[in-house]
Amino acid sequence: MPPSRLLEAVAAAEQAGFQAFMSSDHFSPWSVRQGQSAFAWSWLGAAMESTSLPCGVVTAPGQRYHPAIVAQAIGTLGAMYPGRFWAALGTGEASNEHVTGDRWPPKAVRKARLLECVEVIRALLRGEEVTHDGLVRVDRARVWTRPEEPPALVGAAVSEETARWCASWADGLITVGGPKANDVARAYREAGGRGPLRVQVHLSWAPTREEAERIAHDQWRSNVFPPPACWDIDSVEVFDAVSEHVTPEQVAQVVQISHEISHHIEMLSHYEPFTEIYLHHVGREQLPFVEAFAKALT
């Protein structure tokens, strides 16, 4: 969906009664069929200006983004819209990060690199001048535009192991929906994790069951692969090739599919540990979904 139409959708979502929104930060989509992948930070500024909602972004400092640039972006949005912005930090995916031409490192190195980035970003958001020489290098950086209260840096995790690791540094957690989501949240809390628990639930809604299934299979069959495949595949063409024979039944394991809004609401009630639930309709057309769910929210 083009970013201009997504801007219309987020404004409609606020009018419909949704209380927050979020954006993933991708250089490329997971499938040619998805068709768009705009620059998240440009869109976030426009979306925050056109609504009064709080929002967040899931991003990956360390390769495609230098951590000083991420800190400046966070600081600017935080200063313009105090108290409304949070950033979730993850170790990234090759499909986005390979564009730099740098080697895609193994997971252990990416985790160590992310921890260095977190330390650099936090120090910069405190107003410190930072010089750092490690997996990332920083030379006398200082972020001049900052909010009085630094935005939260949230951990992004899809496994219990990563959630426990995030608990050592994060101001909150975000994960994806599904049967493991509650276990991921509990692992974070049991490891001492602080802050809000957020979950992004992938769903497909349409006026008929058949159409909801068609949308989910068309748009999301490239997203059924668990780690490390989803981390390490580096092009939309490969994602499309390996998902050619994925069945609608396999997609239904990772996408909540129904034409009945009451069924979606019942399924959402299972995410008991979470303080915030973000609904991600996987179809390219967002306005019909927003309008349909508005009736359930009011």
Side-chain angles (χ1 to χ4, degrees):
M1 193 174 189
S4 57
R5 288 172 61 194
L6 277 178
L7 206 57
E8 296 172 2
V10 76
E14 181 175 33
Q15 292 297 315
F18 286 88
Q19 298 175 327
F21 67 94
M22 61 170 286
S23 171
S24 294
D25 180 7
H26 291 261
F27 190 84
S28 66
W30 285 289
S31 169
V32 172
R33 295 181 306 278
Q34 292 174 350
Q36 297 276 336
S37 193
F39 187 54
W41 296 94
S42 299
W43 185 85
L44 283 165
M48 295 187 78
E49 182 64 24
S50 62
T51 71
S52 61
L53 298 175
C55 81
V57 66
V58 182
T59 191
Q63 187 158 329
R64 183 167 46 117
Y65 294 130
H66 191 280
I69 301 303
V70 174
Q72 186 184 34
I74 292 171
T76 297
L77 287 178
M80 292 176 68
Y81 308 104
R84 288 176 53 193
F85 183 67
W86 52 269
L89 308 180
T91 56
E93 297 168 335
S95 61
N96 301 309
E97 310 304 322
H98 77 89
V99 298
T100 65
D102 293 334
R103 173 177 172 266
W104 178 238
K107 178 68 170 179
V109 175
R110 300 200 308 271
K111 288 173 69 175
R113 182 174 67 182
L114 178 59
L115 277 182
E116 291 186 19
C117 289
V118 169
E119 293 173 1
V120 168
I121 292 168
R122 283 215 166 103
L124 290 169
L125 291 175
R126 289 193 298 265
E128 299 174 15
E129 181 179 280
V130 175
T131 295
H132 178 84
D133 191 359
L135 293 170
V136 293
R137 299 177 66 188
V138 186
D139 178 38
R140 295 168 294 164
R142 181 178 174 186
V143 170
W144 294 83
T145 299
R146 310 181 312 277
E148 291 185 10
E149 184 70 24
L153 301 184
V154 174
V158 296
S159 70
E160 294 177 55
E161 178 186 3
T162 301
R164 284 189 284 269
W165 173 75
C166 288
S168 67
W169 61 265
D171 299 322
L173 181 80
I174 187 163
T175 189
V176 294
K180 297 180 181 179
N182 289 356
D183 292 335
V184 171
R186 278 191 285 270
Y188 179 76
R189 287 292 192 230
E190 288 170 0
R194 63 186 184 273
L197 297 173
R198 299 177 173 95
V199 61
Q200 182 192 53
V201 177
H202 305 305
L203 63 87
S204 180
W205 173 88
T208 67
R209 173 77 186 186
E210 292 75 17
E211 180 65 6
E213 290 176 342
R214 186 200 65 77
I215 289 171
H217 187 250
D218 179 68
Q219 289 291 296
W220 213 247
R221 66 178 179 265
S222 302
N223 297 70
V224 303
F225 305 106
C230 60
W231 297 333
D232 294 340
I233 294 174
D234 65 3
S235 76
V236 291
E237 291 81 10
V238 175
F239 270 117
D240 281 340
V242 298
S243 62
E244 183 178 356
H245 300 295
V246 169
T247 65
E249 290 75 20
Q250 288 174 287
V251 176
Q253 295 176 16
V254 298
V255 179
Q256 185 176 298
I257 303 172
S258 181
H259 65 295
E260 297 179 349
I261 295 176
S262 60
H263 175 76
H264 284 292
I265 293 174
E266 166 61 23
M267 294 297 291
L268 295 175
S269 70
H270 297 167
Y271 296 103
E272 295 179 357
F274 295 94
T275 50
E276 298 178 24
I277 300 175
Y278 290 82
L279 308 185
H280 172 218
H281 173 54
V282 300
R284 294 180 66 178
E285 296 299 326
Q286 296 294 312
L287 284 175
F289 152 74
V290 169
E291 292 166 357
F293 275 68
K295 299 174 184 177
L297 292 170
T298 55

